[in-house]
Amino acid sequence: MKIVACNSNPPLAQAVAATLDLPLTQALIRRFADMEIHIEIQENVRGEDVFVIQSTSFPANDNLMELLITLDALRRGSARRVTAVIPYFGYARQDRKTGPRTPISAKLVANLITEAGANRVLTVDLHAGQIQGFFDIPVDNLYGAPLFARDVKERYAGRDVMMVSPDVGGVARARAIATRLNCDLAIIDKRRERAGISEVMNVIGDVEGRDCILIDDIVDSGGSLANAAEALMRHGARSASAYVTHGVLSGSALDRIEASPIETLTVTDSIMLTNSRECPANLRVLTIAPLLAEAMRRISDETSVSSLFD
């Protein structure tokens, strides 16, 4: 078993390798003068079970090309099996035709990863579960719900908590955590005028006097979460916090989160925070390194991965 780390999230790759007590495979990843990507695997991988860790986060296109070229290098190096470990799967928000002459980019990226040489994909909280069907190779989609549920149980012990879905599409995700914690569920009914812009319409559920926790898979601009938190507070919530798997946090998202009523925003380290400004005091990061490491160990040992969902 060998682990290759690309450049999207070196700290996470190092944490996974440390958990597995394995060194990272030596690889040279550099740029030519015109910014073309050059990759050279500097260890023998013939017949090996190789895991490539790379999120396709910002800069998404550069990180995607790094992943594809690394997969090709390993395939041509005669690796026995290559697993693409993609903690954050970019382009997942374009998973269907939303209008005439629009692409299904998630399917295109799935084809690219497969053709580049991946035999298997390991990812966390896909934006849409049906993306697993876009691949013609096995896909293991891990969930952040068990990690979040444990953290909520520790931090909010003795408090009257309520899980909240920030939109109708995320109800199943919020319900999974509410079921684990045996607590109530509320839903934010919103209308999205265009990508990145949303208007809260109504709060479905009695949130008055409750500690409300928003559950989502991606926070990008932060506008939806901030609007949802404001709506909850207007409806009498005692506090509003959020747990989100992938902290894209683009543009002025950190400023927006800091200025919002959100008591604490908890994200995972599936994406390395690259914003130039200092992280706000109400932002926490949970690591998914042990979860990824255990899944990789089980894939390599040919044992069950689905039991990690329990």
Side-chain angles (χ1 to χ4, degrees):
M1 180 178 178
K2 288 185 179 291
I3 304 172
V4 177
C6 295
N7 287 329
S8 71
N9 199 337
L12 177 60
Q14 291 161 4
V16 169
T19 303
L20 291 168
D21 197 23
L22 289 172
L24 291 173
T25 298
Q26 293 297 312
L28 176 65
I29 303 176
R30 62 183 181 87
R31 299 289 195 275
F32 290 116
D34 63 353
M35 300 308 291
E36 285 184 7
I37 298 167
H38 171 70
I39 291 175
E40 180 182 347
I41 309 299
Q42 297 179 312
E43 295 182 23
N44 181 26
V45 295
R46 184 179 297 274
E48 296 281 0
D49 194 7
V50 185
F51 294 82
V52 182
I53 301 178
Q54 176 80 331
S55 283
T56 51
S57 50
F58 177 84
N61 298 330
D62 284 355
N63 287 333
L64 177 59
M65 279 305 299
E66 271 190 18
L67 173 62
L68 298 176
I69 296 172
T70 302
L71 293 172
D72 184 72
L74 292 167
R75 179 180 60 177
R76 296 177 188 279
S78 301
R80 176 175 59 86
R81 179 174 63 183
V82 182
T83 301
V85 181
I86 311 174
Y88 170 68
F89 185 87
Y91 286 102
R93 286 173 282 184
Q94 301 175 58
D95 63 316
R96 64 194 183 280
K97 283 187 65 117
T98 56
R101 296 169 298 282
T102 56
I104 303 179
S105 304
K107 171 60 176 170
L108 173 62
V109 171
N111 289 344
L112 290 171
I113 290 170
T114 304
E115 290 300 317
N119 302 111
R120 191 180 194 99
V121 169
L122 175 64
T123 187
V124 180
D125 273 340
L126 278 173
H127 184 63
Q130 66 264 24
I131 293 174
Q132 296 174 77
F134 294 175
F135 288 89
D136 294 323
I137 55 177
V139 177
D140 292 300
N141 181 31
L142 305 178
Y143 298 105
L147 178 67
F148 288 164
R150 285 194 298 270
D151 193 70
V152 170
K153 190 177 293 187
E154 292 171 4
R155 287 178 59 86
Y156 292 85
R159 296 169 68 173
D160 185 13
V161 299
M162 171 178 268
M163 297 301 117
V164 182
S165 173
D167 53 42
V168 175
V171 170
R173 188 177 298 109
R175 184 186 292 121
I177 298 180
T179 301
R180 287 174 178 272
L181 298 175
N182 193 28
C183 64
D184 293 334
L185 174 68
I187 304 169
I188 302 290
D189 174 34
K190 73 180 182 183
R191 178 178 61 210
R192 186 178 293 277
E193 301 293 343
R194 60 182 185 275
I197 304 295
S198 67
E199 176 187 350
V200 172
M201 299 299 293
N202 197 13
V203 176
I204 304 171
D206 183 11
V207 300
E208 187 171 356
R210 315 288 289 275
D211 290 299
C212 294
I213 301 176
L214 291 151
I215 306 294
D216 212 347
D217 64 322
I218 297 173
V219 52
D220 189 351
S221 66
S224 292
L225 277 186
N227 290 345
E230 289 170 1
L232 291 170
M233 298 305 291
R234 284 199 305 270
H235 282 74
R238 182 172 178 271
S239 69
S241 298
Y243 280 77
V244 183
T245 307
H246 308 296
V248 177
L249 297 172
S250 58
S252 58
L254 292 180
D255 294 326
R256 194 171 289 116
I257 294 298
E258 189 172 38
S260 75
I262 296 174
E263 184 179 86
T264 307
L265 168 61
T266 303
V267 299
T268 74
D269 55 355
S270 63
I271 298 174
M272 184 171 68
L273 297 178
T274 56
N275 202 300
S276 58
R277 64 150 287 180
E278 184 179 346
C279 289
N282 60 343
L283 180 67
R284 298 174 62 235
V285 179
L286 293 178
T287 184
I288 55 170
L291 177 65
L292 288 176
E294 183 59 26
M296 290 162 61
R297 190 198 313 276
R298 294 184 183 202
I299 290 171
S300 184
D301 293 342
E302 304 289 354
T303 57
S304 172
V305 175
S306 60
S307 58
L308 287 174
F309 306 158
D310 298 333

